[in-house]
Amino acid sequence: MTTNEPAWESLDQMADATAAGLAQAAAGSAFHLFRDKQFRRLAGIERLSQVEQDRIFNELVVASIVLIMLLLEAPDLRVAREFQSYLAGLNKRIPKAYVDHLETLGIESSHLRDWEKLIAMRYEEYARDRHDVRAAAMQIESSEKRLDLDDLAKIQMLVPVQAVAIGCHHHICRGHTEGQDDLFKLVLRSLSMFYVELRVRLEGGRITPLTRARVALKRMLRRMGRRK
């Protein structure tokens, strides 16, 4: 009897392969958004130089990579305790996995070092921003009603994707975000879909908490639309 399942010789080998797969998923998600007609129109892609287009695409890739990293270290991720240490180790392998992939494409060493620095810099930035995002979300939600444990759980669940979306949007626009709400909502929606899909898989298909989080996300997007 044969099987299509790969035979891993060690946990390290399995972790390396998983990290490579996640890194490729991040690149695929970024490419899908970058090729989206609405995104290209809102970001004015066709009017930009090739260098600037490449910069924006790179920011999208890094955003997806960092989002995976923040997800893997999320304190509310519902996985078995013995699996948490594996995810923590996996988290550290993802940047290297993507850089290794770029190396196979013939990217020069100097550019590979730039990628390593960019991923590390954005990770530090977006991880730091989580605290401000959480505080802002709690302030907004508590202005409408008294927060209960379920509300706090939904806020916590959405913090990584909101922090990354805000930062990514800022860098795409080079800080000139005024009047770019539609672009932000598109970036947030794309990253949210990627985030939810990965989280559902990691949590073994337990989608109920994520369904509630998606409802909260839709409410936030509608609220942003009313403020325009």
Side-chain angles (χ1 to χ4, degrees):
M1 181 177 178
T2 60
T3 176
N4 292 325
E5 292 295 322
W8 308 117
E9 296 181 359
S10 67
L11 279 177
D12 279 344
Q13 188 182 63
M14 183 175 71
D16 285 340
T18 303
L22 288 172
Q24 287 303 298
S29 176
F31 182 77
H32 181 75
L33 177 58
F34 186 74
R35 297 304 304 170
D36 181 84
K37 291 182 179 179
Q38 186 180 11
F39 175 83
R40 297 179 73 82
R41 177 177 60 80
L42 292 172
I45 294 295
E46 307 304 335
R47 300 192 303 270
L48 302 176
S49 67
Q50 188 60 52
V51 171
E52 186 66 4
Q53 290 186 37
D54 291 345
R55 184 192 68 81
I56 290 175
F57 176 69
N58 293 346
E59 288 290 352
L60 295 178
V61 173
V62 173
S64 294
I65 289 173
V66 172
L67 183 57
I68 295 173
M69 297 172 69
L70 296 181
L71 169 60
L72 293 179
E73 66 184 37
D76 62 327
L77 189 62
R78 300 184 179 201
V79 296
R81 183 173 299 177
E82 59 270 19
F83 194 45
Q84 291 175 352
S85 59
Y86 171 78
L87 293 182
L90 180 62
N91 190 14
K92 296 178 175 61
R93 297 172 189 258
I94 293 174
K96 183 179 184 303
Y98 187 70
V99 172
D100 287 348
H101 169 68
L102 293 179
E103 186 174 15
T104 66
L105 300 179
I107 303 299
E108 296 179 5
S109 297
S110 60
H111 295 314
L112 296 178
R113 288 192 294 272
D114 290 341
W115 267 100
E116 291 173 346
K117 292 176 183 177
L118 180 61
I119 294 173
M121 184 167 57
R122 292 291 182 260
Y123 170 78
E124 181 179 349
E125 176 187 346
Y126 299 161
R128 183 179 62 245
D129 289 347
R130 286 178 299 184
H131 305 293
D132 292 337
V133 168
R134 184 185 298 108
M138 291 179 65
Q139 182 178 2
I140 292 171
E141 293 296 328
S142 63
S143 68
E144 299 181 354
K145 65 170 185 172
R146 185 182 182 87
L147 298 181
D148 56 25
L149 290 178
D150 190 52
D151 294 321
L152 294 174
K154 285 185 289 188
I155 289 172
Q156 178 66 34
M157 189 175 292
L158 293 173
V159 161
V161 69
Q162 290 175 343
V164 172
I166 291 170
C168 180
H169 177 244
H170 176 85
H171 291 299
I172 287 173
C173 299
R174 289 191 176 273
H176 303 296
T177 57
E178 186 175 350
Q180 296 285 359
D181 287 352
D182 287 341
L183 179 61
F184 171 70
K185 286 189 284 187
L186 187 61
V187 171
L188 177 60
R189 186 175 295 113
S190 176
L191 288 171
S192 297
M193 291 173 61
F194 182 60
Y195 174 78
V196 168
E197 180 182 356
L198 286 178
R199 184 151 187 161
V200 167
R201 292 185 180 185
L202 283 172
E203 294 186 342
R206 286 175 290 188
I207 197 170
T208 301
L210 287 166
T211 301
R212 293 198 298 268
R214 279 206 296 262
V215 171
L217 183 61
K218 289 179 180 178
R219 285 179 55 210
M220 183 184 69
L221 291 172
R222 286 198 299 269
R223 191 159 48 227
M224 289 172 56
R226 290 197 297 268
R227 290 174 182 171
K228 289 182 62 178

PDB file of all heavy atoms in Angstrom, residues 123-148:
ATOM      1  N   TYR A 123       8.184  43.060  11.214  1.00  0.00           N
ATOM      2  CA  TYR A 123       7.695  42.239  12.328  1.00  0.00           C
ATOM      3  C   TYR A 123       7.752  43.029  13.629  1.00  0.00           C
ATOM      4  O   TYR A 123       6.778  43.061  14.397  1.00  0.00           O
ATOM      5  CB  TYR A 123       8.514  40.956  12.460  1.00  0.00           C
ATOM      6  CG  TYR A 123       8.211  40.204  13.734  1.00  0.00           C
ATOM      7  CD1 TYR A 123       7.060  39.431  13.855  1.00  0.00           C
ATOM      8  CD2 TYR A 123       9.059  40.304  14.839  1.00  0.00           C
ATOM      9  CE1 TYR A 123       6.762  38.769  15.038  1.00  0.00           C
ATOM     10  CE2 TYR A 123       8.767  39.650  16.021  1.00  0.00           C
ATOM     11  CZ  TYR A 123       7.622  38.885  16.112  1.00  0.00           C
ATOM     12  OH  TYR A 123       7.323  38.245  17.288  1.00  0.00           O
ATOM     13  N   GLU A 124       8.875  43.657  13.880  1.00  0.00           N
ATOM     14  CA  GLU A 124       9.019  44.447  15.105  1.00  0.00           C
ATOM     15  C   GLU A 124       7.988  45.572  15.149  1.00  0.00           C
ATOM     16  O   GLU A 124       7.372  45.832  16.189  1.00  0.00           O
ATOM     17  CB  GLU A 124      10.434  45.025  15.179  1.00  0.00           C
ATOM     18  CG  GLU A 124      10.700  45.845  16.432  1.00  0.00           C
ATOM     19  CD  GLU A 124      12.114  46.395  16.484  1.00  0.00           C
ATOM     20  OE1 GLU A 124      12.951  45.970  15.665  1.00  0.00           O
ATOM     21  OE2 GLU A 124      12.383  47.258  17.342  1.00  0.00           O
ATOM     22  N   GLU A 125       7.790  46.227  14.017  1.00  0.00           N
ATOM     23  CA  GLU A 125       6.845  47.345  13.943  1.00  0.00           C
ATOM     24  C   GLU A 125       5.410  46.887  14.185  1.00  0.00           C
ATOM     25  O   GLU A 125       4.696  47.448  15.031  1.00  0.00           O
ATOM     26  CB  GLU A 125       6.953  48.003  12.570  1.00  0.00           C
ATOM     27  CG  GLU A 125       5.944  49.116  12.326  1.00  0.00           C
ATOM     28  CD  GLU A 125       5.978  49.621  10.895  1.00  0.00           C
ATOM     29  OE1 GLU A 125       6.952  49.304  10.169  1.00  0.00           O
ATOM     30  OE2 GLU A 125       5.023  50.317  10.496  1.00  0.00           O
ATOM     31  N   TYR A 126       4.972  45.863  13.453  1.00  0.00           N
ATOM     32  CA  TYR A 126       3.581  45.433  13.558  1.00  0.00           C
ATOM     33  C   TYR A 126       3.297  44.757  14.895  1.00  0.00           C
ATOM     34  O   TYR A 126       2.190  44.886  15.434  1.00  0.00           O
ATOM     35  CB  TYR A 126       3.228  44.495  12.403  1.00  0.00           C
ATOM     36  CG  TYR A 126       3.357  45.128  11.025  1.00  0.00           C
ATOM     37  CD1 TYR A 126       3.471  44.346   9.879  1.00  0.00           C
ATOM     38  CD2 TYR A 126       3.382  46.509  10.863  1.00  0.00           C
ATOM     39  CE1 TYR A 126       3.590  44.917   8.622  1.00  0.00           C
ATOM     40  CE2 TYR A 126       3.510  47.095   9.612  1.00  0.00           C
ATOM     41  CZ  TYR A 126       3.617  46.291   8.496  1.00  0.00           C
ATOM     42  OH  TYR A 126       3.744  46.864   7.250  1.00  0.00           O
ATOM     43  N   ALA A 127       4.284  44.042  15.426  1.00  0.00           N
ATOM     44  CA  ALA A 127       4.101  43.430  16.748  1.00  0.00           C
ATOM     45  C   ALA A 127       3.944  44.508  17.815  1.00  0.00           C
ATOM     46  O   ALA A 127       3.116  44.386  18.728  1.00  0.00           O
ATOM     47  CB  ALA A 127       5.289  42.522  17.071  1.00  0.00           C
ATOM     48  N   ARG A 128       4.721  45.564  17.693  1.00  0.00           N
ATOM     49  CA  ARG A 128       4.622  46.674  18.644  1.00  0.00           C
ATOM     50  C   ARG A 128       3.279  47.386  18.520  1.00  0.00           C
ATOM     51  O   ARG A 128       2.681  47.796  19.521  1.00  0.00           O
ATOM     52  CB  ARG A 128       5.766  47.652  18.390  1.00  0.00           C
ATOM     53  CG  ARG A 128       5.821  48.821  19.369  1.00  0.00           C
ATOM     54  CD  ARG A 128       6.995  49.733  19.053  1.00  0.00           C
ATOM     55  NE  ARG A 128       6.881  50.327  17.726  1.00  0.00           N
ATOM     56  CZ  ARG A 128       7.724  50.084  16.725  1.00  0.00           C
ATOM     57  NH1 ARG A 128       8.729  49.252  16.881  1.00  0.00           N
ATOM     58  NH2 ARG A 128       7.559  50.681  15.551  1.00  0.00           N
ATOM     59  N   ASP A 129       2.785  47.514  17.299  1.00  0.00           N
ATOM     60  CA  ASP A 129       1.537  48.240  17.067  1.00  0.00           C
ATOM     61  C   ASP A 129       0.312  47.503  17.595  1.00  0.00           C
ATOM     62  O   ASP A 129      -0.762  48.104  17.725  1.00  0.00           O
ATOM     63  CB  ASP A 129       1.348  48.495  15.564  1.00  0.00           C
ATOM     64  CG  ASP A 129       2.323  49.527  15.028  1.00  0.00           C
ATOM     65  OD1 ASP A 129       2.968  50.214  15.838  1.00  0.00           O
ATOM     66  OD2 ASP A 129       2.449  49.635  13.789  1.00  0.00           O
ATOM     67  N   ARG A 130       0.450  46.210  17.891  1.00  0.00           N
ATOM     68  CA  ARG A 130      -0.697  45.448  18.391  1.00  0.00           C
ATOM     69  C   ARG A 130      -1.301  46.075  19.637  1.00  0.00           C
ATOM     70  O   ARG A 130      -2.520  46.064  19.821  1.00  0.00           O
ATOM     71  CB  ARG A 130      -0.285  44.005  18.700  1.00  0.00           C
ATOM     72  CG  ARG A 130      -0.070  43.132  17.493  1.00  0.00           C
ATOM     73  CD  ARG A 130       0.380  41.745  17.891  1.00  0.00           C
ATOM     74  NE  ARG A 130       1.643  41.765  18.615  1.00  0.00           N
ATOM     75  CZ  ARG A 130       2.299  40.681  19.015  1.00  0.00           C
ATOM     76  NH1 ARG A 130       1.786  39.487  18.768  1.00  0.00           N
ATOM     77  NH2 ARG A 130       3.447  40.774  19.649  1.00  0.00           N
ATOM     78  N   HIS A 131      -0.461  46.625  20.490  1.00  0.00           N
ATOM     79  CA  HIS A 131      -0.953  47.185  21.747  1.00  0.00           C
ATOM     80  C   HIS A 131      -1.850  48.395  21.493  1.00  0.00           C
ATOM     81  O   HIS A 131      -2.919  48.539  22.104  1.00  0.00           O
ATOM     82  CB  HIS A 131       0.231  47.561  22.641  1.00  0.00           C
ATOM     83  CG  HIS A 131       1.182  46.432  22.885  1.00  0.00           C
ATOM     84  ND1 HIS A 131       0.834  45.313  23.608  1.00  0.00           N
ATOM     85  CD2 HIS A 131       2.463  46.225  22.474  1.00  0.00           C
ATOM     86  CE1 HIS A 131       1.856  44.474  23.650  1.00  0.00           C
ATOM     87  NE2 HIS A 131       2.853  45.005  22.971  1.00  0.00           N
ATOM     88  N   ASP A 132      -1.426  49.269  20.583  1.00  0.00           N
ATOM     89  CA  ASP A 132      -2.242  50.441  20.258  1.00  0.00           C
ATOM     90  C   ASP A 132      -3.534  50.039  19.560  1.00  0.00           C
ATOM     91  O   ASP A 132      -4.595  50.627  19.805  1.00  0.00           O
ATOM     92  CB  ASP A 132      -1.452  51.404  19.363  1.00  0.00           C
ATOM     93  CG  ASP A 132      -0.287  52.055  20.087  1.00  0.00           C
ATOM     94  OD1 ASP A 132      -0.327  52.119  21.333  1.00  0.00           O
ATOM     95  OD2 ASP A 132       0.667  52.480  19.410  1.00  0.00           O
ATOM     96  N   VAL A 133      -3.451  49.037  18.692  1.00  0.00           N
ATOM     97  CA  VAL A 133      -4.644  48.566  17.983  1.00  0.00           C
ATOM     98  C   VAL A 133      -5.652  47.990  18.967  1.00  0.00           C
ATOM     99  O   VAL A 133      -6.859  48.262  18.885  1.00  0.00           O
ATOM    100  CB  VAL A 133      -4.262  47.513  16.924  1.00  0.00           C
ATOM    101  CG1 VAL A 133      -5.503  46.805  16.384  1.00  0.00           C
ATOM    102  CG2 VAL A 133      -3.496  48.165  15.785  1.00  0.00           C
ATOM    103  N   ARG A 134      -5.176  47.196  19.912  1.00  0.00           N
ATOM    104  CA  ARG A 134      -6.069  46.604  20.912  1.00  0.00           C
ATOM    105  C   ARG A 134      -6.740  47.691  21.744  1.00  0.00           C
ATOM    106  O   ARG A 134      -7.957  47.646  21.987  1.00  0.00           O
ATOM    107  CB  ARG A 134      -5.294  45.654  21.819  1.00  0.00           C
ATOM    108  CG  ARG A 134      -6.177  44.918  22.827  1.00  0.00           C
ATOM    109  CD  ARG A 134      -5.356  44.071  23.778  1.00  0.00           C
ATOM    110  NE  ARG A 134      -4.618  43.028  23.082  1.00  0.00           N
ATOM    111  CZ  ARG A 134      -3.305  43.034  22.893  1.00  0.00           C
ATOM    112  NH1 ARG A 134      -2.575  44.055  23.346  1.00  0.00           N
ATOM    113  NH2 ARG A 134      -2.711  42.048  22.270  1.00  0.00           N
ATOM    114  N   ALA A 135      -5.963  48.673  22.167  1.00  0.00           N
ATOM    115  CA  ALA A 135      -6.518  49.753  22.988  1.00  0.00           C
ATOM    116  C   ALA A 135      -7.560  50.552  22.213  1.00  0.00           C
ATOM    117  O   ALA A 135      -8.622  50.900  22.748  1.00  0.00           O
ATOM    118  CB  ALA A 135      -5.391  50.668  23.463  1.00  0.00           C
ATOM    119  N   ALA A 136      -7.266  50.843  20.941  1.00  0.00           N
ATOM    120  CA  ALA A 136      -8.209  51.608  20.121  1.00  0.00           C
ATOM    121  C   ALA A 136      -9.495  50.826  19.895  1.00  0.00           C
ATOM    122  O   ALA A 136     -10.599  51.389  19.958  1.00  0.00           O
ATOM    123  CB  ALA A 136      -7.561  51.965  18.784  1.00  0.00           C
ATOM    124  N   ALA A 137      -9.361  49.529  19.625  1.00  0.00           N
ATOM    125  CA  ALA A 137     -10.547  48.702  19.389  1.00  0.00           C
ATOM    126  C   ALA A 137     -11.417  48.628  20.639  1.00  0.00           C
ATOM    127  O   ALA A 137     -12.653  48.704  20.559  1.00  0.00           O
ATOM    128  CB  ALA A 137     -10.125  47.301  18.956  1.00  0.00           C
ATOM    129  N   MET A 138     -10.793  48.498  21.793  1.00  0.00           N
ATOM    130  CA  MET A 138     -11.551  48.445  23.039  1.00  0.00           C
ATOM    131  C   MET A 138     -12.266  49.760  23.297  1.00  0.00           C
ATOM    132  O   MET A 138     -13.412  49.782  23.751  1.00  0.00           O
ATOM    133  CB  MET A 138     -10.617  48.094  24.198  1.00  0.00           C
ATOM    134  CG  MET A 138     -10.094  46.670  24.155  1.00  0.00           C
ATOM    135  SD  MET A 138      -8.954  46.280  25.517  1.00  0.00           S
ATOM    136  CE  MET A 138     -10.058  46.432  26.922  1.00  0.00           C
ATOM    137  N   GLN A 139     -11.600  50.863  22.982  1.00  0.00           N
ATOM    138  CA  GLN A 139     -12.218  52.170  23.184  1.00  0.00           C
ATOM    139  C   GLN A 139     -13.428  52.351  22.271  1.00  0.00           C
ATOM    140  O   GLN A 139     -14.485  52.840  22.701  1.00  0.00           O
ATOM    141  CB  GLN A 139     -11.196  53.276  22.925  1.00  0.00           C
ATOM    142  CG  GLN A 139     -11.739  54.680  23.165  1.00  0.00           C
ATOM    143  CD  GLN A 139     -10.671  55.748  22.954  1.00  0.00           C
ATOM    144  OE1 GLN A 139      -9.540  55.440  22.595  1.00  0.00           O
ATOM    145  NE2 GLN A 139     -11.032  56.992  23.170  1.00  0.00           N
ATOM    146  N   ILE A 140     -13.281  51.943  21.001  1.00  0.00           N
ATOM    147  CA  ILE A 140     -14.383  52.086  20.044  1.00  0.00           C
ATOM    148  C   ILE A 140     -15.562  51.205  20.436  1.00  0.00           C
ATOM    149  O   ILE A 140     -16.716  51.650  20.469  1.00  0.00           O
ATOM    150  CB  ILE A 140     -13.902  51.737  18.622  1.00  0.00           C
ATOM    151  CG1 ILE A 140     -12.908  52.791  18.126  1.00  0.00           C
ATOM    152  CG2 ILE A 140     -15.082  51.638  17.662  1.00  0.00           C
ATOM    153  CD1 ILE A 140     -12.221  52.422  16.829  1.00  0.00           C
ATOM    154  N   GLU A 141     -15.276  49.942  20.743  1.00  0.00           N
ATOM    155  CA  GLU A 141     -16.356  49.010  21.069  1.00  0.00           C
ATOM    156  C   GLU A 141     -17.041  49.383  22.380  1.00  0.00           C
ATOM    157  O   GLU A 141     -18.259  49.272  22.505  1.00  0.00           O
ATOM    158  CB  GLU A 141     -15.806  47.582  21.150  1.00  0.00           C
ATOM    159  CG  GLU A 141     -15.318  47.024  19.826  1.00  0.00           C
ATOM    160  CD  GLU A 141     -16.433  46.872  18.809  1.00  0.00           C
ATOM    161  OE1 GLU A 141     -17.585  46.600  19.214  1.00  0.00           O
ATOM    162  OE2 GLU A 141     -16.155  47.032  17.612  1.00  0.00           O
ATOM    163  N   SER A 142     -16.268  49.831  23.364  1.00  0.00           N
ATOM    164  CA  SER A 142     -16.850  50.162  24.667  1.00  0.00           C
ATOM    165  C   SER A 142     -17.673  51.442  24.614  1.00  0.00           C
ATOM    166  O   SER A 142     -18.483  51.704  25.508  1.00  0.00           O
ATOM    167  CB  SER A 142     -15.746  50.297  25.722  1.00  0.00           C
ATOM    168  OG  SER A 142     -14.868  51.364  25.399  1.00  0.00           O
ATOM    169  N   SER A 143     -17.477  52.250  23.561  1.00  0.00           N
ATOM    170  CA  SER A 143     -18.283  53.465  23.426  1.00  0.00           C
ATOM    171  C   SER A 143     -19.715  53.138  23.021  1.00  0.00           C
ATOM    172  O   SER A 143     -20.617  53.960  23.178  1.00  0.00           O
ATOM    173  CB  SER A 143     -17.657  54.402  22.389  1.00  0.00           C
ATOM    174  OG  SER A 143     -17.741  53.844  21.090  1.00  0.00           O
ATOM    175  N   GLU A 144     -19.920  51.929  22.491  1.00  0.00           N
ATOM    176  CA  GLU A 144     -21.246  51.522  22.040  1.00  0.00           C
ATOM    177  C   GLU A 144     -21.975  50.665  23.065  1.00  0.00           C
ATOM    178  O   GLU A 144     -23.198  50.655  23.121  1.00  0.00           O
ATOM    179  CB  GLU A 144     -21.137  50.759  20.720  1.00  0.00           C
ATOM    180  CG  GLU A 144     -20.541  51.596  19.589  1.00  0.00           C
ATOM    181  CD  GLU A 144     -20.465  50.827  18.288  1.00  0.00           C
ATOM    182  OE1 GLU A 144     -20.771  49.609  18.297  1.00  0.00           O
ATOM    183  OE2 GLU A 144     -20.113  51.434  17.259  1.00  0.00           O
ATOM    184  N   LYS A 145     -21.210  49.915  23.871  1.00  0.00           N
ATOM    185  CA  LYS A 145     -21.839  49.061  24.879  1.00  0.00           C
ATOM    186  C   LYS A 145     -20.785  48.615  25.877  1.00  0.00           C
ATOM    187  O   LYS A 145     -19.584  48.782  25.654  1.00  0.00           O
ATOM    188  CB  LYS A 145     -22.481  47.834  24.230  1.00  0.00           C
ATOM    189  CG  LYS A 145     -21.481  46.891  23.584  1.00  0.00           C
ATOM    190  CD  LYS A 145     -22.150  45.581  23.175  1.00  0.00           C
ATOM    191  CE  LYS A 145     -21.117  44.598  22.652  1.00  0.00           C
ATOM    192  NZ  LYS A 145     -21.696  43.262  22.420  1.00  0.00           N
ATOM    193  N   ARG A 146     -21.239  48.032  26.960  1.00  0.00           N
ATOM    194  CA  ARG A 146     -20.335  47.481  27.958  1.00  0.00           C
ATOM    195  C   ARG A 146     -19.736  46.183  27.415  1.00  0.00           C
ATOM    196  O   ARG A 146     -20.460  45.293  26.975  1.00  0.00           O
ATOM    197  CB  ARG A 146     -21.092  47.212  29.266  1.00  0.00           C
ATOM    198  CG  ARG A 146     -20.208  46.741  30.410  1.00  0.00           C
ATOM    199  CD  ARG A 146     -21.053  46.466  31.643  1.00  0.00           C
ATOM    200  NE  ARG A 146     -20.231  46.068  32.761  1.00  0.00           N
ATOM    201  CZ  ARG A 146     -19.654  46.899  33.610  1.00  0.00           C
ATOM    202  NH1 ARG A 146     -19.833  48.206  33.464  1.00  0.00           N
ATOM    203  NH2 ARG A 146     -18.911  46.461  34.607  1.00  0.00           N
ATOM    204  N   LEU A 147     -18.416  46.076  27.436  1.00  0.00           N
ATOM    205  CA  LEU A 147     -17.752  44.912  26.864  1.00  0.00           C
ATOM    206  C   LEU A 147     -17.853  43.707  27.790  1.00  0.00           C
ATOM    207  O   LEU A 147     -17.647  43.822  29.003  1.00  0.00           O
ATOM    208  CB  LEU A 147     -16.273  45.221  26.598  1.00  0.00           C
ATOM    209  CG  LEU A 147     -15.970  46.343  25.603  1.00  0.00           C
ATOM    210  CD1 LEU A 147     -14.463  46.508  25.440  1.00  0.00           C
ATOM    211  CD2 LEU A 147     -16.611  46.065  24.252  1.00  0.00           C
ATOM    212  N   ASP A 148     -18.177  42.540  27.202  1.00  0.00           N
ATOM    213  CA  ASP A 148     -18.157  41.299  27.965  1.00  0.00           C
ATOM    214  C   ASP A 148     -16.974  40.451  27.497  1.00  0.00           C
ATOM    215  O   ASP A 148     -16.191  40.868  26.637  1.00  0.00           O
ATOM    216  CB  ASP A 148     -19.479  40.540  27.819  1.00  0.00           C
ATOM    217  CG  ASP A 148     -19.830  40.242  26.365  1.00  0.00           C
ATOM    218  OD1 ASP A 148     -18.907  40.181  25.524  1.00  0.00           O
ATOM    219  OD2 ASP A 148     -21.026  40.057  26.064  1.00  0.00           O
TER     220      ASP A 148
END
